[in-house]
Amino acid sequence: MLSNVNKGNELQCVADVVKSVKLFSHLTEEEFRDILKVIKIRTFTKDSIIICCEDTNECLHIVLNGEVRISRSTKDGMDIIVAIGQPGDYFGEMSLIDGHAASATVTATKNSLIASIFKSDFHNLICADRIILDNLLRTLCARLRSATETIEMLNYNTAPKRLEMCFKSLANTCGDIDNGGITLKIKLTHQDIADMTGMTRPTVTKVLDDWKRFGYITILQDKKIRLSAEFIKNICSVSI
């Protein structure tokens, strides 16, 4: 379903999330209101495809509520999770810049509310505000670094090394420092981690069970994963 932002409560909800997006975090209240005028809202049920790889994409998409999975398929048909999008994350910007088809498939993993800004409106924004353009370039650089890390990870033949690389990346992008360790802000199943690393779920489970016994990781009550300080220092080399 596609709709404009018009209801008071909905408007405030959208504004709060958009303000948290680094791309627009510097804008004034008046500038935010201008953006809200061009935003379209869509709802997607769990497992719905938002963007299909190789399809034409004409929008910048912002996750307002819910969660999305960004993935690519390998030649042998395996889906590799590239990223997981939470409220405040955005995707689809590459197609708006180079005009090419979408490079990945984006799927709603929960019932999700997505804000979309069409290509012409987005171009007007970046032409009118150099800071938005600078923030966009930083995002593209970060995505390029992440892609390079993923390629490096997939070149390793051992399961523990792939998982170390995966958790290092997750700790840097979605980790909260917690008493010397790091807690991942997103909930991941063993299948999610397997899809991120190109391995089977039983292989992931075996390594994670070993790491739990060694005290490297802890599964919290809310199912989030906490990485110990020893794990971060000695294995992942992530600065905390």
Side-chain angles (χ1 to χ4, degrees):
M1 181 179 70
L2 183 66
S3 64
N4 291 86
V5 183
N6 46 33
K7 297 179 182 178
N9 290 339
E10 184 183 65
L11 182 65
Q12 187 57 52
C13 172
V14 173
D16 289 343
V17 177
V18 173
K19 286 179 181 178
S20 71
V21 178
K22 290 182 179 179
L23 198 63
F24 306 123
S25 59
H26 66 286
L27 298 179
T28 65
E29 289 296 325
E30 183 177 354
E31 290 169 329
F32 270 120
R33 287 194 292 270
D34 289 339
I35 288 182
L36 295 180
K37 292 175 183 177
V38 300
I39 279 179
K40 308 295 182 183
I41 304 299
R42 287 188 288 180
T43 57
F44 293 88
T45 58
K46 182 180 178 181
D47 297 327
S48 296
I49 294 178
I50 302 171
I51 298 176
C52 189
C53 185
E54 302 302 333
D55 279 358
T56 301
N57 172 54
E58 292 292 335
C59 296
L60 173 78
H61 305 279
I62 303 170
V63 183
L64 299 177
N65 193 15
E67 182 183 85
V68 302
R69 179 182 68 242
I70 303 171
S71 62
R72 285 186 60 94
S73 295
T74 62
K75 291 182 179 180
D76 57 5
M78 178 180 292
D79 277 343
I80 301 294
I81 295 179
V82 178
I84 293 178
Q86 301 286 314
D89 292 333
Y90 59 92
F91 55 92
E93 73 284 344
M94 288 180 62
S95 299
L96 303 190
I97 295 172
D98 63 15
H100 291 179
S103 60
T105 294
V106 184
T107 308
T109 54
K110 300 177 180 178
N111 293 338
S112 300
L113 194 65
I114 305 295
S116 299
I117 302 176
F118 283 93
K119 184 175 183 177
S120 58
D121 294 318
F122 183 67
H123 280 182
N124 289 338
L125 288 173
I126 61 177
C127 288
D129 192 325
R130 177 57 187 267
I131 297 179
I132 293 179
L133 180 58
D134 288 345
N135 290 341
L136 179 63
L137 291 174
R138 291 189 183 94
T139 295
L140 294 175
C141 288
R143 300 222 200 280
L144 179 59
R145 291 181 188 277
S146 177
T148 302
E149 290 173 357
T150 299
I151 293 171
E152 181 183 357
M153 175 193 69
L154 294 175
N155 280 331
Y156 285 106
N157 294 322
T158 64
K161 190 61 182 179
R162 283 197 185 188
L163 286 175
E164 289 169 16
M165 292 288 295
C166 179
F167 279 122
K168 176 181 179 179
S169 177
L170 290 170
N172 280 320
T173 58
C174 58
D176 281 335
I177 298 175
D178 177 21
N179 296 323
I182 291 180
T183 298
L184 302 183
K185 292 184 287 188
I186 58 176
K187 297 179 182 179
L188 297 170
T189 66
H190 288 193
Q191 187 61 55
D192 289 334
I193 298 170
D195 290 341
M196 287 179 171
T197 54
M199 299 188 295
T200 64
R201 186 184 58 78
T203 299
V204 169
T205 297
K206 182 180 184 304
V207 176
L208 294 184
D209 285 345
D210 288 341
W211 286 358
K212 283 189 286 186
R213 284 198 303 272
F214 299 151
Y216 292 156
I217 66 171
T218 303
I219 309 300
L220 305 179
Q221 288 186 344
D222 60 1
K223 303 301 182 182
K224 292 180 180 178
I225 299 174
R226 184 179 186 276
L227 314 177
S228 71
E230 181 183 4
F231 181 87
I232 296 299
K233 181 179 179 180
N234 296 332
I235 299 181
C236 287
S237 300
V238 176
S239 175
I240 59 173

